Amino acid sequence: MDKILLSRFIAAVAAREVELSAAESWLKAVHMYGISPQDTITLTNEMMNSGSILTWEEQPHLVVDKHSTGGVGDKMSLMLAPALAACGLKVPMLAGRGLGHTGGTIDKLESIPGFNCNLTPQQMQDIVQKIGCCIAAQNDAIAPADGLLYAIRDVTQTIDSIPLITASIISKKAAEGLHSLVLDVKCGTAAFMKTEHDAIELAKSMVDVASGLGIKCQAQITLMENPIGSHIGNSLEVIESVEILKGNGHPDTKKLVVLQGSALLLMSNIVQNLNAGEAMIERVLNDGSALKKFCEMCVHQGVDAEIARRLCKDPLSVLPLSNNKIEIIAQHSGYVHSIDSMALAEIARRHGAGRFSIEDIIIPDVGYIIKKHIGEKIEGGQCWMEFYFSQQPKDSEIKQLSQSITISKLIRDNQSRLITVVE
Ligand code: URA
């Protein structure tokens, strides 16, 4: 692909000076024929340069972020950003609203009364300089070329193109002025990438392009079959996150925060090895310093100081949780072998926890609390999950939820989520 032509095309897309039909034809051609790794780097670079780029004069090697391809109960960013800030790193995180089977990080944060995710690049820089982290919604100031291309990928059926996904994700992350980036590429039945092969292919492409733009980058391929942690749904995931930030919460969630956080601490040379990085993340989660950063982030992003204080002390006193609840009951005794995350997510999505179109309004208090986890013993008749809803679920949905757990006679080893690392 001619580099100058590609630059001009992306500049025209960013300025909205290109015919929609031309952009659609271009997307379809890239989707059908692919583009070379070098062209993917050029495309990403042009998309990054199509808008504002954050700059960090002091200690640029401390600027980090992570991106996840998304999973059920994937709330890591809410804890990771403040935990890393508590370790001395700078995290200018851009995140999205969900358009798949779950809400996105921004939807989760917007369940906190007053939380403002609409920050300008300058506001992001100011908050990060002051407290070490912020989480803002992607907007047209950053990589505006992606804004248009992403919006029409849906209608052109070009969502699943590896170079287009790579350029879309990495251009926005690169515009944050990052030194290091960890990617969590999820793989399995409840992930965008269903197989390990496809997840590794996407991971390699993103790592190569980020590295080509001078960012230290690692991808962690993690299993996305069973739900992550104990809470699923927008305000419910904030509740679990606050518990983790208080040093409590489900170990499954904590392990992923530690996995991603320790990699970034090592890549930024804050620690000399992964063990030291893990210990550091554990410490800031257990000693209250990550929670303090989370509280500061809420206040700097518009939450009233008293509400932020109450949120961090007793999240249920601030966050919405539906009064309508059904207990889902085990049909027989044994050990929990698996829970079908995708079935849970699709039902919650129909009840407002996720979107079908970008205009859909999220209902923050819809979701689940999982009471029995993989490998745990369960008796027939016992509740293994609570479903919080706003509109009475259909009998068929309750049946589907009851059938989404597999209980076996044999105890199942609790599998590590990490499959492999791509660097
Ligand atoms: N998120 C993005 O921002 N872009 C993609 O292409 C996929 C997920």
Side-chain angles (χ1 to χ4, degrees):
M1 211 179 280
D2 185 295
K3 209 169 162 176
I4 297 176
L5 267 185
L6 183 57
S7 291
R8 284 205 192 132
F9 173 69
I10 294 300
V13 170
R16 308 295 187 257
E17 282 166 358
V18 78
E19 291 283 333
L20 216 52
S21 59
E24 287 176 358
S25 303
W26 181 82
L27 285 172
K28 284 182 188 164
V30 173
H31 182 256
M32 182 170 292
Y33 302 110
I35 54 174
S36 70
Q38 190 50 50
D39 283 346
T40 312
I41 294 178
T42 306
L43 171 63
T44 311
N45 194 38
E46 295 302 330
M47 282 167 61
M48 169 185 83
N49 282 312
S50 70
S52 302
I53 298 177
L54 306 191
T55 51
W56 308 96
E57 271 159 30
E58 282 165 36
Q59 301 181 303
H61 66 287
L62 298 182
V63 183
V64 304
D65 197 2
K66 79 109 204 205
H67 175 82
S68 165
T69 56
V72 180
D74 186 354
K75 53 196 80 77
M76 300 315 129
S77 298
L78 275 59
M79 297 152 279
L80 191 65
L84 290 170
C87 297
L89 293 179
K90 300 180 199 179
V91 194
M93 187 181 284
L94 280 171
R97 293 191 166 79
L99 192 52
H101 50 287
T102 65
T105 298
I106 299 301
D107 300 312
K108 294 166 198 182
L109 286 169
E110 285 180 347
S111 62
I112 302 172
F115 200 102
N116 173 26
C117 293
N118 297 321
L119 303 180
T120 62
Q122 188 60 50
Q123 286 171 320
M124 289 180 72
Q125 278 190 209
D126 292 348
I127 296 175
V128 171
Q129 294 292 16
K130 216 163 169 182
I131 63 163
C133 63
C134 71
I135 305 181
Q138 289 155 6
N139 59 66
D140 263 355
I142 300 223
D146 179 61
L148 178 67
L149 293 176
Y150 192 40
I152 56 176
R153 272 178 46 212
D154 202 13
V155 285
T156 48
Q157 288 157 1
T158 54
I159 297 265
D160 60 347
S161 150
I162 295 230
L164 293 177
I165 299 172
T166 300
S168 171
I169 292 172
I170 303 297
S171 61
K172 286 172 289 200
K173 291 291 162 184
E176 295 171 1
L178 297 186
H179 178 271
S180 310
L181 173 64
V182 158
L183 301 166
D184 181 5
V185 181
K186 303 240 169 256
C187 135
T189 47
F192 182 62
M193 289 301 179
K194 306 286 177 216
T195 67
E196 193 176 325
H197 173 273
D198 289 354
I200 290 180
E201 196 187 343
L202 175 61
K204 279 191 176 144
S205 170
M206 291 198 288
V207 169
D208 288 349
V209 169
S211 309
L213 296 180
I215 300 168
K216 261 195 189 181
C217 184
Q218 167 187 114
Q220 301 172 343
I221 314 289
T222 62
L223 253 188
M224 189 58 253
E225 303 278 344
N226 297 297
I228 301 171
S230 55
H231 291 50
I232 302 166
N234 296 285
S235 70
L236 284 140
E237 292 186 38
V238 180
I239 294 169
E240 184 184 354
S241 300
V242 172
E243 282 309 311
I244 296 282
L245 289 165
K246 284 163 124 179
N248 309 318
H250 197 271
D252 185 26
T253 304
K254 190 179 240 179
K255 276 189 206 157
L256 276 173
V257 179
V258 170
L259 180 72
Q260 295 165 6
S262 56
L264 285 167
L265 289 172
L266 184 57
M267 289 157 84
S268 318
N269 291 325
I270 293 276
V271 293
Q272 300 311 309
N273 56 56
L274 273 182
N275 285 346
E278 287 167 9
M280 196 169 194
I281 298 285
E282 296 258 9
R283 178 166 58 70
V284 297
L285 292 178
N286 292 333
D287 71 5
S289 46
L291 182 66
K292 187 161 170 275
K293 280 287 168 204
F294 177 78
C295 187
E296 284 173 17
M297 179 174 79
C298 289
V299 172
H300 279 80
Q301 293 196 232
V303 181
D304 172 81
E306 176 57 19
I307 291 186
R309 194 192 61 76
R310 276 173 38 214
L311 170 72
C312 294
K313 199 165 178 231
D314 175 14
L316 276 173
S317 70
V318 169
L319 292 171
L321 183 61
S322 174
N323 290 326
N324 304 314
K325 169 179 97 171
I326 287 180
E327 294 195 333
I328 310 295
I329 304 299
Q331 303 302 312
H332 54 273
S333 306
Y335 296 91
V336 181
H337 182 81
S338 64
I339 297 171
D340 181 350
S341 302
M342 200 62 182
L344 269 47
E346 286 297 0
I347 290 173
R349 183 189 196 184
R350 290 206 288 272
H351 282 259
R355 293 189 180 81
F356 290 92
S357 95
I358 198 72
E359 297 83 34
D360 290 348
I361 309 275
I362 292 279
I363 304 179
D365 56 1
V366 163
Y368 308 96
I369 299 180
I370 296 183
K371 300 283 183 184
K372 287 281 175 187
H373 298 270
I374 309 305
E376 286 181 10
K377 197 169 189 315
I378 187 163
E379 302 297 335
Q382 219 174 358
C383 163
W384 65 272
M385 182 171 76
E386 291 168 352
F387 178 31
Y388 291 85
F389 55 89
S390 55
Q391 278 190 348
Q392 186 65 27
K394 296 182 192 138
D395 289 349
S396 59
E397 290 176 325
I398 296 171
K399 187 170 170 206
Q400 221 184 326
L401 289 176
S402 304
Q403 290 171 346
S404 62
I405 191 167
T406 308
I407 298 173
S408 70
K409 288 281 158 223
L410 295 175
I411 189 162
R412 175 182 179 174
D413 281 348
N414 210 345
Q415 270 179 303
S416 160
R417 282 197 185 266
L418 182 64
I419 300 173
T420 187
V421 171
V422 174
E423 334 191 71

